[in-house]
Amino acid sequence: MFESLATLLADAASQIVREGYDALGDVEGKADGSPVTAIDRAVELRLRDLVAEHAPDHGFIGEEFPPSHPEAEHVWIVDPVDGTRPFIAGMPTFGVLIALRHRQRGMVLGVVDQPLLRQRWVGVDGQGCTRNGEPVHVRPCASLGEAFASTSGPLAHSRALWPRMECVHKAAGRLIYGGECLAWGLLAQGRIDLVVDAGLQLYDVAGPLVVLREAGATVTDWSGRPLGGEFDGTVLAAGDARVHAEALELIQRGHVVNRP
Amino acid sequence: MFESLATLLADAASQIVREGYDALGDVEGKADGSPVTAIDRAVELRLRDLVAEHAPDHGFIGEEFPPSHPEAEHVWIVDPVDGTRPFIAGMPTFGVLIALRHRQRGMVLGVVDQPLLRQRWVGVDGQGCTRNGEPVHVRPCASLGEAFASTSGPLAHSRALWPRMECVHKAAGRLIYGGECLAWGLLAQGRIDLVVDAGLQLYDVAGPLVVLREAGATVTDWSGRPLGGEFDGTVLAAGDARVHAEALELIQRGHVVNRP
């Protein structure tokens, strides 16, 4: 199951991110305007090297560079620093996201790592989810009105969908903003109950998906479909299926805004 | 200047919060519906004891219990856990806020402590600001369009004022949500440029105010008045006076919503 390689990758990434946190290097603009740092790239290059060294037949898909061997039986899918924006701002809500995809079995391993907090959530297919090595699980929550929800906030990449998200937020018992990828871990360990987000890419959700699935969460897109094939960038993830059902109904009949 | 007492208080608070973080105790509802934990109270009681032991003539004003000797020459103003909501959710954006007020000289010492990150910002009147003992300072930023701003998000306590905040957010170069009290420290150390918030209480801003002032920030309410006397709960804090002036103009001519 390549858990030891996943640990090696996560350790290497986490260390580079921690070392770079205070002395943040060049911040360039990407074509889409999102910020990207030298650290992003350093992490991805290091992880590519490690995979090439320890599992030369594995493929690698990252955010910063073109894929290598994406047709391989095993492919690592990595977002070196998910949440570059909070990372640049110094907010410890960013994270390193790592997933391992098997050609037939789909996503079989996922890691969400927060370097500054030194917290790591790992999901392994059929073996459950751990946080820093200890088993964790989502918590029960009977209704959306009792749920603690997390959202990124009305950011540019998802602003058009914000009114639909807000239907859910307003119905949730409590809400935090800016949870970013830390929210996946908090949901997996039963500290919060619901994450609603949009505008995501495959590498933003591949690792968290396994973590959440193995922790017992219900995870779909906003149409109620499992994440996979044609991913539309929307995610609705709940620790309790009752909360998921309630949120799904709200978000589906929510005010739909025409995309510009 | 009682810096050693401030350190003693911050160390004690930070330790209680760290120990309680994983095994979060009872969550009760306060009359205003905001969540409050046993840890909040444990911190405040411990800090009251420490002040009584080390400076028996000092007063104490906290969030959870009635003031003691608020008329004293020196009064400690404490929010044991600012951001109880993120604390309960497990987000490391909450903090311990401590201030020392002198009857004639006003706020003379301020502490913002993030227990999980083990980061502490301390401002001492006329002596500058430190982060974990190292001097820090706000950074220059020529315009709002280049500024990295932080906001809590459209939360219940400030929702009526949200449209005016949004005028500023939309003009800012970049924005993070959910910065909570961690944002004060990030602003002081020149990692972000602007914090706009509302619905705050005196004990939410007393400590941060000294930290920010000593780090060189410009801090006023939304009318451009220094924080103090009749505090209306709004804060506009910028590392660079040019960003403050630009944001102030926007927020003043922003769409004004009638409070319900």
Side-chain angles (χ1 to χ4, degrees):
Chain A
M1 286 300 293
F2 304 105
E3 286 146 80
S4 58
L5 180 50
T7 299
L8 196 68
L9 299 181
D11 285 348
S14 193
Q15 190 184 336
I16 294 171
V17 170
R18 258 194 311 277
E19 287 170 0
Y21 171 74
D22 268 335
L24 193 59
D26 290 334
V27 177
E28 324 163 23
K30 275 199 294 197
D32 64 357
S34 68
V36 60
T37 66
I39 295 160
D40 264 293
R41 294 175 179 213
V43 170
E44 186 165 331
L45 289 174
R46 178 84 181 111
L47 267 48
R48 282 176 183 266
D49 284 350
L50 284 170
V51 168
E53 184 188 338
H54 293 272
D57 56 329
H58 287 197
F60 196 103
I61 298 176
E63 192 184 3
E64 305 297 340
F65 299 97
S68 62
H69 305 297
E71 75 296 341
E73 185 174 20
H74 288 95
V75 178
W76 294 90
I77 300 175
V78 168
D79 190 350
V81 180
D82 184 55
T84 314
R85 202 174 31 80
F87 180 56
I88 291 171
M91 294 281 295
T93 51
F94 62 87
V96 178
L97 304 181
I98 299 172
L100 178 60
R101 186 179 69 190
H102 184 270
R103 197 190 290 140
Q104 278 81 40
R105 297 167 51 218
M107 300 295 176
V108 291
L109 191 152
V111 178
V112 175
D113 185 273
Q114 213 306 312
L116 301 182
L117 297 171
R118 292 178 187 265
Q119 294 195 16
R120 181 179 300 166
W121 295 266
V122 179
V124 179
D125 194 30
Q127 294 180 43
C129 179
T130 57
R131 172 192 174 219
N132 290 355
E134 297 294 318
V136 291
H137 202 272
V138 296
R139 68 182 175 193
C141 180
S143 72
L144 185 54
E146 296 166 61
F148 208 134
S150 170
T151 181
S152 56
L155 293 166
H157 69 269
S158 57
R159 193 176 283 273
L161 294 170
W162 181 247
R164 287 178 65 191
M165 283 198 232
E166 250 196 328
C167 298
V168 178
H169 299 157
K170 286 178 175 166
R174 278 177 287 184
L175 182 63
I176 44 165
Y177 288 92
E180 301 277 343
C181 80
L182 182 58
W184 305 123
L186 298 173
L187 179 60
Q189 74 186 63
R191 188 98 182 208
I192 61 172
D193 305 292
L194 180 69
V195 178
V196 190
D197 220 329
L200 301 176
Q201 304 293 328
L202 173 65
Y203 46 73
D204 296 328
V205 295
L209 182 61
V210 187
V211 165
L212 291 171
R213 188 182 73 204
E214 292 298 320
T218 305
V219 188
T220 67
D221 65 14
W222 290 8
S223 304
R225 294 173 304 207
L227 305 192
E230 296 183 21
F231 179 49
D232 69 358
T234 65
V235 175
L236 187 65
D240 191 306
R242 293 169 290 183
V243 171
H244 185 275
E246 218 178 316
L248 183 61
E249 196 187 333
L250 271 181
I251 212 160
Q252 285 190 330
R253 65 166 199 233
H255 175 60
V256 179
V257 172
N258 292 318
R259 283 173 164 285
Chain B
M1 286 299 293
F2 304 105
E3 286 145 81
S4 58
L5 180 51
T7 299
L8 196 70
L9 299 182
D11 285 349
S14 193
Q15 190 183 337
I16 294 172
V17 170
R18 257 195 312 278
E19 289 171 358
Y21 171 73
D22 269 334
L24 193 59
D26 289 335
V27 177
E28 324 164 23
K30 275 200 293 197
D32 64 358
S34 69
V36 59
T37 67
I39 295 160
D40 264 293
R41 294 175 179 212
V43 170
E44 186 165 331
L45 289 174
R46 178 84 182 111
L47 268 49
R48 282 176 184 264
D49 284 350
L50 283 170
V51 168
E53 183 187 337
H54 293 272
D57 55 329
H58 287 197
F60 196 103
I61 298 177
E63 191 185 3
E64 304 298 339
F65 298 97
S68 62
H69 306 298
E71 76 296 341
E73 185 173 22
H74 288 96
V75 178
W76 294 90
I77 300 175
V78 168
D79 190 351
V81 180
D82 183 54
T84 315
R85 202 175 31 80
F87 180 56
I88 291 171
M91 294 281 295
T93 52
F94 62 88
V96 178
L97 303 181
I98 299 172
L100 179 60
R101 187 179 69 192
H102 183 270
R103 197 189 291 139
Q104 277 81 42
R105 297 166 52 217
M107 300 294 175
V108 291
L109 192 152
V111 179
V112 175
D113 185 273
Q114 212 306 311
L116 301 182
L117 296 171
R118 293 178 186 265
Q119 294 194 18
R120 181 179 300 167
W121 295 266
V122 179
V124 179
D125 195 30
Q127 294 181 42
C129 178
T130 57
R131 172 191 173 221
N132 289 356
E134 297 294 318
V136 290
H137 203 271
V138 295
R139 68 182 175 193
C141 180
S143 71
L144 186 55
E146 297 166 61
F148 208 133
S150 170
T151 180
S152 55
L155 293 167
H157 68 269
S158 58
R159 192 175 284 273
L161 295 169
W162 182 246
R164 286 178 66 191
M165 285 198 230
E166 249 197 328
C167 298
V168 178
H169 300 157
K170 285 177 176 167
R174 277 177 288 184
L175 182 63
I176 44 165
Y177 288 92
E180 301 277 344
C181 81
L182 182 58
W184 306 123
L186 298 173
L187 179 60
Q189 75 186 62
R191 189 98 183 209
I192 61 173
D193 305 293
L194 179 69
V195 178
V196 190
D197 221 329
L200 301 176
Q201 303 293 328
L202 173 66
Y203 45 73
D204 295 329
V205 295
L209 182 60
V210 187
V211 165
L212 291 170
R213 189 182 72 204
E214 292 298 320
T218 306
V219 188
T220 68
D221 65 15
W222 290 9
S223 304
R225 294 173 303 207
L227 304 192
E230 295 185 22
F231 179 50
D232 70 358
T234 65
V235 175
L236 187 64
D240 191 306
R242 294 169 291 184
V243 171
H244 185 275
E246 218 179 315
L248 183 61
E249 195 188 333
L250 271 181
I251 212 161
Q252 284 190 329
R253 64 167 201 234
H255 175 61
V256 179
V257 172
N258 293 318
R259 282 173 165 284

